[in-house]
Amino acid sequence: MAEYLSVPVLRPLDLSGLAPEVIGRLSASHREAWSAITVANGRHKLIVINPAHSQARQNSSLAHELAHIILDHEPSLMFMAPGSGAVLRTHNKEQEDEAGWLAGTLLLPRAALLKIRRRRLTNEEACTEYFVSAAMLRFRLNATGVNVQIRRAGRI
């Protein structure tokens, strides 16, 4: 999706203009404090992802940031990152909720959930195949009603 939208996805080490001490904080002492961030420079956007997190968490974070871009969310707060001139953004609760819903849909569309259940994959197998967390899979199965639909059809 990022490639289709022409949004580069980078890790802190890929940011050549970032001071080594900042990279160190993002990669070590503050690695649990952030997941991903969209950085805007005019009309151009890029996403910086936290490589310290699991692949499932990185995928979820990336989908969430892409959702903000797809939904053309206007940040509720914008500020310049000291030293880089990059514009960082934050969003209000409504926008965060919308991005969360769309991110889940991007990762596990309803058709994929139906396929998972019809193939009788275990939750662990589905998470491995789709590179998502068990929590994301449960959320999407419950939110879409796929488990109920399949159960009523007598297929699980």
Side-chain angles (χ1 to χ4, degrees):
M1 180 66 64
E3 186 178 321
Y4 176 78
L5 295 171
S6 300
V7 177
V9 179
L10 305 172
R11 286 162 175 68
L13 286 173
D14 300 328
L15 300 171
S16 59
L18 208 53
E21 62 271 11
V22 174
I23 292 173
R25 283 194 302 272
L26 291 173
S27 301
S29 59
H30 291 98
R31 70 176 179 235
E32 294 304 318
W34 70 286
S35 297
I37 187 167
T38 299
V39 181
N41 185 359
R43 289 184 154 309
H44 302 285
K45 295 179 177 73
L46 65 88
I47 296 172
V48 181
I49 198 90
N50 186 341
H53 291 170
S54 70
Q55 189 62 56
R57 173 107 180 255
Q58 289 180 52
N59 290 345
S60 183
S61 299
L62 176 58
H64 184 92
E65 294 301 313
L66 289 170
H68 281 303
I69 293 169
I70 291 166
L71 294 167
D72 200 26
H73 281 161
E74 289 295 325
S76 57
L77 175 66
M78 294 175 61
F79 56 96
M80 299 288 277
S84 72
V87 178
L88 304 179
R89 10 170 95 205
T90 62
H91 299 277
N92 64 37
K93 181 174 176 7
E94 182 179 339
Q95 290 176 334
E96 288 297 330
D97 290 346
E98 287 176 352
W101 276 96
L102 180 54
T105 302
L106 293 172
L107 291 167
L108 290 167
R110 192 170 199 288
L113 296 167
L114 287 167
K115 184 177 179 182
I116 287 166
R117 286 303 181 232
R118 287 182 177 138
R119 289 175 52 206
R120 298 184 186 276
L121 295 178
T122 66
N123 285 1
E124 185 177 279
E125 290 168 333
C127 289
T128 300
E129 186 169 319
Y130 286 87
F131 303 100
V132 297
S133 68
M136 175 61 78
L137 178 63
R138 277 190 310 276
F139 167 72
R140 290 292 297 149
L141 287 166
N142 291 331
T144 60
V146 165
N147 277 345
V148 172
Q149 176 185 352
I150 295 296
R151 193 175 305 113
R152 286 183 180 161
R155 295 191 180 133
I156 62 171

